[in-house]
Amino acid sequence: MKSYNIAVIKGDGIGPEIVDEAIKVLDAACKGEDIELNYEEYLMGGCAYDATGNPLPQETIDGAKKSDAILFGAIGGEKWDTLDRHLRPESGLLRFRSELGVFANLRPTNVFDELLDASTIKPEVLKGVDLFVVRELTGGIYFGQPREKLEDMAYNTMVYTKEEIRRIAVVAFESAMKRRKEVCSVDKANVLEVSQLWRETVEEVALDYPEVKLSHMYVDNCAMQLVRNPRQFDVILTGNIFGDILSDEASMISGSIGLLPSASVGGLVGLFEPIHGSAPDIAGQGISNPIATVMSAAMMLRFALGEDKVANKIEKAVANVLRDGYRTKDLAEYGAKEVCSTTKMGSIIADYVAKI
Ligand code: IPM
Ligand code: MN
């Protein structure tokens, strides 16, 4: 029997309800596979601030570092928006990523044929989209010094070292080798020195991957191309803030931000979370979509635990559940045979997983 320790951080808003469903599905998927997952819960975000005065308690950092992988829900909410920046839930998450050293954020976007109508973009533009954003996560303007807010001016600094660019580029090229062997590196090299270094360094890394076709694109053009013709992309390699923006944009290709998972890897322990936020406005109503978190759990099995077979089972079950017309409320208008609550959706996916 293989046994893994999973640190579970449910967070705020809909975080707890979607993570509970992901755990339900994980347990169903591991059953009969000789894999045991042991879960340990930790606090982070607004709930951690309320309980301890700190959005990222030391106990959470220590527990997470000892685990084999971290399953994360979502954090934040209006309630904590007026706190000083360093006490806000978002600061806790950024510090957490940095503490763990998870510099590579992987955000896949695919379309399910059954949901082609759910997007605001025309179905014929979307059909067959399968792209993979590799976003640098622990550098760039999010972390650069100096930064300060004064009375009448404020500033942040965009910094990348060559080494930071090199290691994220390697992740993008390695990802491309397992896919369609194309990398589009996105920057703003017509304006920013940081982007010029980015481009040069990516070119150097490309020399080690002669099979991969590398192209460069300015970020403003990329934002436009994602809507115009998203099928042109395989792997998109980009920095922290550009990746933040482009991956939200890319998520709309799949029809609902409630579908898309992410993995943050490359550090001590991998962190797996849906790309959406904590949606406090719908928390506790049983209408949130747990699929993004379920798919993040599948990424956890693949990228942190090396359990590809179990990960595939979960992804297949989700595809089949959608094919058979089960929808949470966010997708109720698109081919629903049955509109399910959050817990019902989790249970149905778990049933399907058990049958694979
Ligand atoms: C994300 C989020 C975070 C980010 C916020 C909550 C700090 O938007 O994971 O994309 O900007 O990285
Ligand atoms: Mn974001």
Side-chain angles (χ1 to χ4, degrees), residues 97 107 135 142 243-245 247-248 275:
R97 290 170 176 170
R107 297 187 164 185
R135 167 191 175 195
Y142 273 56
D244 179 46
I245 298 164
S247 61
D248 260 39
I275 84 158

Side-chain angles (χ1 to χ4, degrees), residues 7 17 29 46 55-56 65 75 84 100 126 129 138 140 184 188 220-221 228 237 253 263 280 294 327 334 339 355:
E17 62 201 54
L56 178 61
K65 283 184 178 170
I75 50 142
D84 281 356
L100 294 168
L126 298 179
V129 169
T138 52
C184 177
K188 189 72 186 172
D220 47 351
N221 184 24
R228 193 188 72 86
L237 160 64
I253 289 170
V294 168
R327 305 278 186 271
Y334 307 100
V339 178
K355 281 188 252 148

